[in-house]
Amino acid sequence: ATSSRSAAVQKKRIRHEHTIFRHMQEIVTGDDPAVRHGKPAPDIYLEAARRIGVAPHHCLVFEDSQSGCQSGTQAGCHVVAVPDPRMGHEKEGLFQKKNDDDDGSHDGDGIYSIADVVLESLEQFDGREWGIDM
């Protein structure tokens, strides 16, 4: 799932068809008619999970934005945040927010993470932690 428009995704596919895109069964774009509300609403991830026939809690989302992480979390997916390095030091607190309602996931300060993991680079991702044989 990507908030990019389908035309932009098609351009990316040309360059990366035999690498990352060969692993994707479905691609849901931000301009897909089934996506009524954009991120941070969960619509795009719920639609992606529906199309591949998997419950959202079995999905792993990679995101570089706070709204994308919120979207994945609200959909019930596991979220790996890889903040865009151009964000600088502001990114350190970006993937946390105040907990307005007690959902049991907050720490003692009333803060909870909107991502399960925050990585500096995709190269740090270890699929074995998620049951993915790499």
Side-chain angles (χ1 to χ4, degrees):
T2 176
S3 57
S4 297
R5 300 181 62 77
S6 59
V9 173
Q10 290 306 318
K11 289 178 185 177
K12 290 177 188 176
R13 284 188 82 142
I14 293 168
R15 289 180 288 164
H16 303 287
E17 186 64 42
H18 299 292
T19 57
I20 189 96
F21 284 101
R22 70 185 173 96
H23 299 287
M24 297 179 188
Q25 299 170 23
E26 291 283 340
I27 297 175
V28 181
T29 58
D31 58 349
D32 190 298
V35 179
R36 290 181 163 223
H37 304 287
K39 297 173 184 177
D43 300 28
I44 198 163
Y45 289 114
L46 294 172
E47 178 61 19
R50 185 193 69 74
R51 287 188 189 179
I52 62 173
V54 176
H57 68 272
H58 290 298
C59 294
L60 185 60
V61 168
F62 291 87
E63 267 295 344
D64 64 352
S65 71
Q66 183 179 23
S67 64
C69 288
Q70 289 171 329
S71 178
T73 298
Q74 288 182 35
C77 303
H78 296 282
V79 178
V80 176
V82 188
D84 187 323
R86 295 174 291 181
M87 290 182 184
H89 293 348
E90 300 85 41
K91 70 182 180 187
E92 291 167 7
L94 187 63
F95 297 93
Q96 294 183 351
K97 68 176 187 176
K98 296 278 184 204
N99 187 1
D100 295 329
D101 55 354
D102 187 9
D103 67 355
S105 63
H106 62 87
D107 64 19
D109 295 328
I111 304 285
Y112 72 98
S113 177
I114 59 171
D116 295 286
V117 177
V118 180
L119 305 176
E120 290 182 21
S121 164
L122 277 176
E123 293 173 349
Q124 294 177 315
F125 178 72
D126 184 356
R128 294 171 296 189
E129 294 177 23
W130 301 93
I132 301 169
D133 188 24
M134 297 183 73

